[in-house]
């Protein structure tokens, strides 16, 4: 056990992938868990599994883009546990396509979940976390796609750059407020998870199967690149080991794939020299 204070841990997007592994790992460290997801079936399975192992678990099923639901969850979590130590704003979805053909619905869906989901978690939890007046953490999941520009998933890249800058502003404002809450942003490269299967959670009003954007060869190609890359990702167990190590070492930008760091340097050098972005991943 390290100096990472994790008596009560809250995780959004906890039913699958990285969120599920975070839940398992913190349960094995003796944390009490407040878990939420839009995926009722897998959240229920995880809850039973963790309870069978002796963990104290509270769950709610809702969409993180629904602010009243997030606010209600926060109130219920504080009522039940009194205080929290770590909030993981982790739920996320992905889409692919070229920027001028991507359906508007894809942009709306990704901004609602990947950006507003974080905003909702911060707004619903942080005021009470500040009032706790003791060290605690807000950990937002962005992506390496929030630090370097990759070309197949424009809405995802846009939402993840927003997630990184949102967390940077959060950290600055927490410092300015003299709060004992610290912010962190997780920036993984490819991790094996259910992310490539996220369409199953898309609200019906944000999907039109007949949108011409889905009919193009370009969409099919970019989508298959994104889908295929997931199969070769880092196991979620390894990624979460690195995330926990990053938190223990008080790292703000937590990277799971340090081998990608030179790409961040190249991007920054390109910004300073004013050169055009170039394809960085073959
Ligand atoms: N897997 C990767 O390669 C990778 C890389 C970088 C960043 N990320 C980020 O990691 C986070 C976790 O993703 P993952 O890879 O574990 O994928 P995942 O699909 O396995 O897990 C994401 C979870 O979020 C839930 N979710 C989706 N939409 C939701 C909504 N509207 N409201 C509530 N819950 C919702 C899903 O049901 C799922 O349980 C995401 O933010 C993702 O963008 C993943």
């Amino acid at each position: 056990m390290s100096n990472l204070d994790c008596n009560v841990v809250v995780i959004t997007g906890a039913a699958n992938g990285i969120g599920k592994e975070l839940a398992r790992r913190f349960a094995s460290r003796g944390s009490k868990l407040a878990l939420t997801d839009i995926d009722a079936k897998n959240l229920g399975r995880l809850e039973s599994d963790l309870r069978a192992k002796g963990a104290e678990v509270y769950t709610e099923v809702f969409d993180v883009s629904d602010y009243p639901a997030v606010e209600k969850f926060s109130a219920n979590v504080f009522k039940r546990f009194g205080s929290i130590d770590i909030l993981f704003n982790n739920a996320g979805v992905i889409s692919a396509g070229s920027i001028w053909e991507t359906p508007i619905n894809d942009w709306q869906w990704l901004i609602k979940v990947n950006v507003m989901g974080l905003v909702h978690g911060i707004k619903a939890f942080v005021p009470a976390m500040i009032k706790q007046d003791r060290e605690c953490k807000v950990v937002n999941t962005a992506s390496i796609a929030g630090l370097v520009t990759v070309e197949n998933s424009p809405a995802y890249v846009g939402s993840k750059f927003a997630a990184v800058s949102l967390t940077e502003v959060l950290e600055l404002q927490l410092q300015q407020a003299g709060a004992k809450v610290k912010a962190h942003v997780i920036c993984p490269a490819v991790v094996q998870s259910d992310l490539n299967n996220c369409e199953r959670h898309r609200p019906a009003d944000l999907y039109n199967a007949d949108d011409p954007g889905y009919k193009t060869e370009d969409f099919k190609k970019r989508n298959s690149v994104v889908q295929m890359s997931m199969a070769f990702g880092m196991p979620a167990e390894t990624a979460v080991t690195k995330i926990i190590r990053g938190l223990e070492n008080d790292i703000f930008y937590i990277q799971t794939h340090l081998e990608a760091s030179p790409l961040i340097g190249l991007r920054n050098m390109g910004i300073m020299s004013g050169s055009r972005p170039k394809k960085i991943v073959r």
Side-chain angles (χ1 to χ4, degrees), residues 199-212:
E199 279 293 329
R200 70 197 192 284
H201 301 312
R202 191 197 287 238
D205 63 337
L206 291 180
Y207 183 63
N208 170 14
D210 295 328
D211 192 293

Side-chain angles (χ1 to χ4, degrees), residues 89-208:
N89 281 317
N90 167 74
V93 290
I94 194 166
S95 69
S98 72
I99 198 159
W100 51 86
E101 287 170 344
T102 295
I104 294 299
N105 280 341
D106 283 22
W107 289 92
Q108 290 169 331
W109 182 40
L110 267 71
I111 299 296
K112 277 184 158 194
V113 180
N114 296 356
V115 183
M116 293 314 294
L118 304 187
V119 173
H120 293 166
I122 292 165
K123 192 162 166 57
F125 279 89
V126 168
M129 292 172 80
I130 292 174
K131 278 199 198 128
Q132 291 176 176
D133 199 30
R134 61 176 178 78
E135 284 208 6
C136 54
K137 295 177 180 299
V138 178
V139 186
N140 291 335
T141 307
S143 170
I144 188 75
L147 298 172
V148 297
T149 308
V150 287
E151 74 282 10
N152 288 315
S153 314
Y156 189 72
V157 172
S159 70
K160 293 300 186 177
F161 266 77
V164 170
S165 56
L166 187 78
T167 316
E168 290 169 338
V169 174
L170 174 65
E171 171 61 24
L172 290 175
Q173 294 191 344
L174 288 168
Q175 287 176 18
Q176 218 171 25
K180 292 181 182 159
V181 186
K182 287 185 169 178
H184 300 259
V185 63
I186 305 174
C187 300
V190 184
V191 175
Q192 288 169 34
S193 73
D194 276 356
L195 193 60
N196 54 349
N197 194 20
C198 64
E199 279 293 329
R200 70 197 192 284
H201 301 312
R202 191 197 287 238
D205 63 337
L206 291 180
Y207 183 63
N208 170 14

